[in-house]
Amino acid sequence: MRNSSKTPKLAAALAVLTALLVAAPARTQSGASKKNLPWMNASLSADRRADLVLEQMTLDEKIQLVHGTGWGVLRDGDPVPPRSNLGAGFVPGIDRLGIPDINLADSAVGVRMAALESRYATLLPSALGLAATWDPEAAFLFGSVIGRELRDQGFNMSIGGGVDLAREPRNGRTWEYAGEDPLLAGTIVGQLSKGVQSQKVMGDIKHYAVNDQETGRDILNAVIGKRALRESDLLAFEIAITTAEPAGVMCAYNKLNGDFSCENDDLLNQVLKKDFAFKGWVLSDWDGTHSTKKAVLNGLDMEMPGDEFLGPALKKAIDNGEVPLARLNDMVHRILRSMFAVGVVDDPVVPRRVTDPFRGREDSEQIAEKSMVLLKNAGALLPLSASEVRSIAVIGSHADVGVLSGGGSAQVDAPGGNAIDPKPGTAEWQQPVYFPSAPLRYLRKQARNAKVDYDPGTDPARAAALAKSSEVAIVFVNQYMTEGRDNETLSLPDNQDALVHAVAAANPRTIVVLETGSTISMPWLDDVKAVLAAWYPGIGGAQAICNILFGEVNPSAKLPITFARSEADLPHPEIQGMQLVKKAEAEHRSVPSFDVTYTEGIQVGYKWFEAEKKQPLFPFGFGLSYTRYSYSGLKVDEKQRQVTFTVKNTGSRPGGEIAQVYAQLPSAAGEPFKRLVAWERLALAPGESKTITLPLTPLYLSIFDEQKDAWSLLPGEYKVLVGPSSADTPLAASLRIHD
Ligand code: BGC
């Protein structure tokens, strides 16, 4: 499989690049004399400027722009591009026309591969954690940190922006995505990408589409009906893409309904370019291009990372008329217009600034504090009193040295290196990496009158003994996830369930802090007093966790994903194809393509649980606070299509509440579940009420009519439900939509 061959190839290429970089010439491009070229007139539209450049380009120059230069070099013996910035991809610019190179870097949660040149990059919380903030402003900030640091390091394009829906919570990349709801995920990732582009760095949204599991990702065929697709996975992309207008969209490895995503006419030409009116370019996932003519005619604009199909083979196809020149011009136009639109031509990156780690850390911590979901707080054990608590047992998950991060191409290099020893037998790009933000250190600082001891949790009995002799026990548990493989179950690995059971049995004041990439099952939930979902919290993680545990910060996040009680309650109790792939790998055979049929269709996440009448462990949209809120006064304005209601903080602490609006469509829609249609994050002082009005956007109330191949707002009676979570909507009203 491609992903398994990626590491050695990448490592070899990087070794070559690193060696050559020592002798490489200065990497700035000559641009000064290009000021007078007609397309450098910034008052012209991006499209016009692109056309003016295109008119001057030779066929070879056009071909040069529509593919990368390989993981390092294209072919053995080729010269290394001297201006490559050691990211995941490089496209040399057209110097004589003043068009800069494109240096692309993986940057889902921070800039990847910074360590190669002793650069520093901020690790942000996981994208799933970001989605738990439900905060478009936090998402914009998240993106702007990435954009700022990309620019500082000489990159002008991000290849983060994952918005595949969490159909499969065991998907190894769940933490790179923004959860299970298309409106929430699309809004968050759209704002994130906008934040990247606010720094004049090109953004990207990926993996288009339905790359919802890693098992067999480059051979599987995702099978799903058109309506379900448009109302779920593709709606997330539609919202993100129309919000951000990103420079790029990365097509996925998998097939969708029979065709590879990177040569799928319906997906690329019809939906993305026609229906979503996407003006940027489609780049393939790394080695995800499979053909020349078919891919190009069906909508692919750039092959990454090399030129197997869109290099000499494309030139030949143009020469012999198999691919019209007009199509190549369109591909190049899309690339150039995006470069002009985002500002990378007018403001070329100059890698001369030192990334500001303090600013990054503050931004990251601020987002982390808004991202942590308090799932349980029996007897109001939390917040702990910093002055009163006398002894704390801190247990597990390397809490003495750091916090966990996710693995794969989204991994960021930890300052000072991994805080734990590498796991033997695990490839470097899939190593669990702990960042040096140690909860133990901050807990000791906060609990100034307490004896705070640490136990690694590897021996449950020993950990329980420490817990027994302490006033409070805080158990840190982890669920590691990485690109390239899925987690087989929702259970915590490494005997951690037994650890929590043992500690909880020894100490009735047990708090569990989750460092997880996705959801987990919790067989010990009834035995512990409090649970805090910290996700992968980033470089400010330890402070954020402590600030919440001690009440310096009132938790305000809500789940962007449903926690199932067990795998049995998921639409697919087993990951589709996993046994097939495992068997083939054990027998050292390649795996034949297989179907992953999404029989649950539109019913992703909470919609599935509601339609199937299953009780989740924790519902979508759920999250506790140290204060309380009440909801009242729902009014629906049918003419303006908007809702108004009041939220009051009835407790004694200031807090942030995420008020959610759901709609249940008329029965003609055939959708036996409600859907999220709006929300607002409100800051409320004790006793304060706010009355808010939110729009009921027609798209979010519509169904996709397969016959008409268009969205349709059905006439009839809609139920509007408002409240603090998908499972708790105390306010209800109806909305009539007339023919
Ligand atoms: C991943 C992409 C990533 C690319 C470059 C691929 O294997 O699926 O998300 O951007 O590699 O590293």
Side-chain angles (χ1 to χ4, degrees):
M1 281 167 54
R2 268 191 190 84
N3 48 329
S4 50
S5 62
K6 171 173 163 173
T7 319
K9 252 174 36 191
L10 174 62
L14 292 178
V16 179
L17 276 175
T18 312
L20 282 166
L21 255 171
V22 178
R27 268 184 267 143
T28 45
Q29 280 183 265
S30 54
S33 60
K34 308 287 163 21
K35 289 260 151 49
N36 296 328
L37 296 170
W39 50 88
M40 291 303 177
N41 176 355
S43 67
L44 299 175
S45 73
D47 288 304
R48 179 77 190 118
R49 296 174 78 182
D51 283 340
L52 289 171
V53 181
L54 247 171
E55 282 167 17
Q56 304 298 319
M57 288 175 80
T58 65
L59 178 59
D60 284 332
E61 286 170 337
K62 291 176 187 174
I63 297 285
Q64 180 184 320
L65 270 197
V66 298
H67 65 81
T69 55
W71 276 115
V73 294
L74 271 172
R75 278 161 284 274
D76 284 348
D78 272 7
V80 174
R83 291 193 304 251
S84 166
N85 199 28
L86 300 185
F90 177 70
V91 180
I94 314 293
D95 253 356
R96 75 175 184 95
L97 302 176
I99 301 303
D101 309 324
I102 306 177
N103 265 299
L104 307 92
D106 276 305
S107 40
V109 291
V111 183
R112 188 192 183 207
M113 301 206 293
L116 269 172
E117 283 192 294
S118 288
R119 293 179 292 217
Y120 171 82
T122 295
L123 176 72
L124 291 148
S126 67
L128 189 65
L130 175 65
T133 68
W134 296 56
D135 186 353
E137 281 173 26
F140 187 89
L141 174 65
F142 189 106
S144 63
V145 173
I146 292 172
R148 184 171 79 218
E149 296 190 2
L150 283 167
R151 201 160 242 283
D152 289 346
Q153 298 186 18
F155 293 103
N156 57 8
M157 183 160 189
S158 160
I159 45 169
V163 74
D164 296 275
L165 281 198
R167 279 184 181 275
E168 173 47 76
R170 291 157 296 186
N171 174 3
R173 301 187 86 170
T174 305
W175 60 278
E176 283 187 57
Y177 304 139
E180 68 191 25
D181 181 80
L183 176 54
L184 178 61
T187 305
I188 291 295
V189 175
Q191 288 298 330
L192 185 165
S193 198
K194 236 178 149 168
V196 171
Q197 297 202 150
S198 72
Q199 303 299 305
K200 297 189 178 166
V201 166
M202 294 186 285
D204 159 71
I205 286 182
K206 70 186 185 184
H207 307 90
Y208 188 69
V210 201
N211 185 173
D212 294 348
Q213 67 176 50
E214 289 297 279
T215 303
R217 66 173 176 174
D218 44 10
I219 47 167
L220 71 80
N221 176 34
V223 180
I224 179 167
K226 188 165 196 160
R227 173 172 169 190
L229 201 52
R230 293 301 298 263
E231 289 184 33
S232 54
D233 307 65
L234 293 192
L235 181 57
F237 277 97
E238 179 167 6
I239 295 168
I241 290 165
T242 50
T243 302
E245 300 187 353
V249 166
M250 185 192 292
C251 48
Y253 282 131
N254 53 286
K255 293 178 188 164
L256 179 63
N257 294 329
D259 273 329
F260 278 112
S261 300
C262 293
E263 53 184 42
N264 192 313
D265 175 66
D266 198 37
L267 202 51
L268 304 181
N269 283 337
Q270 309 312 325
V271 177
L272 178 64
K273 292 183 177 173
K274 198 163 114 265
D275 292 1
F276 300 173
F278 172 62
K279 290 199 175 73
W281 82 91
V282 177
L283 62 156
S284 73
D285 199 344
W286 269 228
D287 289 331
T289 308
H290 295 271
S291 58
T292 301
K293 183 179 168 190
K294 181 173 179 186
V296 164
L297 294 184
N298 288 354
L300 181 69
D301 301 306
M302 181 186 276
E303 174 181 5
M304 270 296 164
D307 74 342
E308 189 180 346
F309 298 102
L310 269 57
L314 178 59
K315 187 175 177 196
K316 199 166 149 215
I318 299 279
D319 281 341
N320 66 24
E322 265 189 88
V323 171
L325 182 62
R327 173 65 189 115
L328 177 62
N329 286 343
D330 173 49
M331 294 156 72
V332 175
H333 175 94
R334 286 171 172 278
I335 297 165
L336 292 172
R337 67 94 50 207
S338 305
M339 296 178 79
F340 284 118
V342 178
V344 303
V345 182
D346 297 331
D347 259 304
V349 288
V350 183
R352 60 164 179 230
R353 270 207 309 257
V354 177
T355 299
D356 182 347
F358 296 105
R359 189 170 169 200
R361 192 178 176 112
E362 254 170 51
D363 289 341
S364 184
E365 184 186 330
Q366 189 196 322
I367 297 166
E369 285 170 348
K370 287 183 169 175
S371 79
M372 294 184 186
V373 187
L374 182 62
L375 292 173
K376 180 171 180 180
N377 191 18
L381 175 59
L382 293 175
L384 297 171
S385 161
S387 57
E388 283 167 25
V389 64
R390 290 285 177 269
S391 58
I392 305 178
V394 178
I395 295 163
S397 198
H398 305 286
D400 57 334
V401 290
V403 289
L404 183 60
S405 57
S409 62
Q411 181 59 278
V412 173
D413 294 317
N418 195 348
I420 63 162
D421 290 336
K423 206 170 166 181
T426 302
E428 205 198 322
W429 73 300
Q430 293 182 320
Q431 279 291 343
V433 175
Y434 276 75
F435 272 65
S437 174
L440 181 64
R441 184 171 148 214
Y442 291 96
L443 286 167
R444 282 196 169 132
K445 212 166 137 191
Q446 291 258 14
R448 48 189 183 276
N449 298 325
K451 186 168 166 307
V452 183
D453 290 316
Y454 176 72
D455 182 280
T458 40
D459 173 355
R462 208 184 55 199
L466 176 64
K468 205 176 172 85
S469 65
S470 309
E471 202 177 299
V472 177
I474 306 177
V475 194
F476 287 80
V477 295
N478 63 75
Q479 172 205 44
Y480 179 60
M481 294 190 126
T482 175
E483 177 185 343
R485 63 165 187 257
D486 297 321
N487 287 28
E488 228 166 298
T489 73
L490 295 175
S491 300
L492 286 172
D494 306 326
N495 213 23
Q496 294 179 91
D497 283 337
L499 172 68
V500 181
H501 270 303
V503 171
N507 189 321
R509 290 156 62 88
T510 293
I511 299 156
V512 182
V513 177
L514 316 178
E515 291 176 30
T516 64
S518 177
T519 72
I520 54 161
S521 51
M522 301 182 199
W524 34 258
L525 182 61
D526 290 344
D527 305 330
V528 303
K529 282 280 177 340
V531 180
L532 178 69
W535 315 108
Y536 299 148
I539 191 64
Q543 295 98 311
I545 291 169
C546 292
N547 286 343
I548 288 183
L549 294 181
F550 286 93
E552 302 273 315
V553 169
N554 191 352
S556 58
K558 305 239 177 161
L559 292 179
I561 186 168
T562 307
F563 276 55
R565 286 177 189 276
S566 79
E567 296 76 17
D569 286 342
L570 297 174
H572 307 279
E574 279 198 5
I575 292 186
Q576 299 185 66
M578 188 172 249
Q579 294 314 323
L580 198 83
V581 171
K582 277 171 87 173
K583 190 161 182 286
E585 277 174 0
E587 293 165 3
H588 304 289
R589 314 184 259 112
S590 59
V591 195
S593 180
F594 59 89
D595 284 353
V596 169
T597 307
Y598 290 110
T599 44
E600 74 280 9
I602 314 168
Q603 294 174 11
V604 184
Y606 63 95
K607 296 169 184 165
W608 163 262
F609 280 81
E610 199 170 317
E612 296 288 311
K613 303 198 170 35
K614 287 175 192 278
Q615 274 297 317
L617 189 62
F618 292 108
F620 175 82
F622 174 79
L624 300 170
S625 160
Y626 296 149
T627 186
R628 291 179 309 278
Y629 304 97
S630 71
Y631 284 70
S632 63
L634 175 61
K635 281 195 228 61
V636 172
D637 181 337
E638 291 192 347
K639 237 167 99 202
Q640 303 289 327
R641 295 235 179 94
Q642 58 191 25
V643 286
T644 300
F645 56 94
T646 301
V647 185
K648 182 171 185 191
N649 180 346
T650 57
S652 55
R653 281 173 181 265
E657 169 67 336
I658 298 163
Q660 300 156 42
V661 182
Y662 293 86
Q664 164 87 62
L665 270 52
S667 55
E671 296 191 358
F673 49 81
K674 59 183 174 299
R675 33 158 109 168
L676 181 71
V677 292
W679 77 87
E680 178 91 350
R681 202 179 215 282
L682 298 157
L684 291 166
E688 189 186 7
S689 314
K690 276 187 186 158
T691 298
I692 53 167
T693 297
L694 299 175
L696 294 169
T697 309
L699 176 64
Y700 309 152
L701 295 171
S702 296
I703 62 155
F704 193 81
D705 184 327
E706 291 194 0
Q707 255 68 53
K708 294 191 192 133
D709 198 25
W711 289 99
S712 160
L713 185 61
L714 296 177
E717 189 91 11
Y718 290 64
K719 208 165 168 188
V720 177
L721 299 147
V722 176
S725 98
S726 68
D728 182 10
T729 49
L731 308 182
S734 72
L735 162 75
R736 174 155 283 285
I737 295 201
H738 302 277
D739 258 327

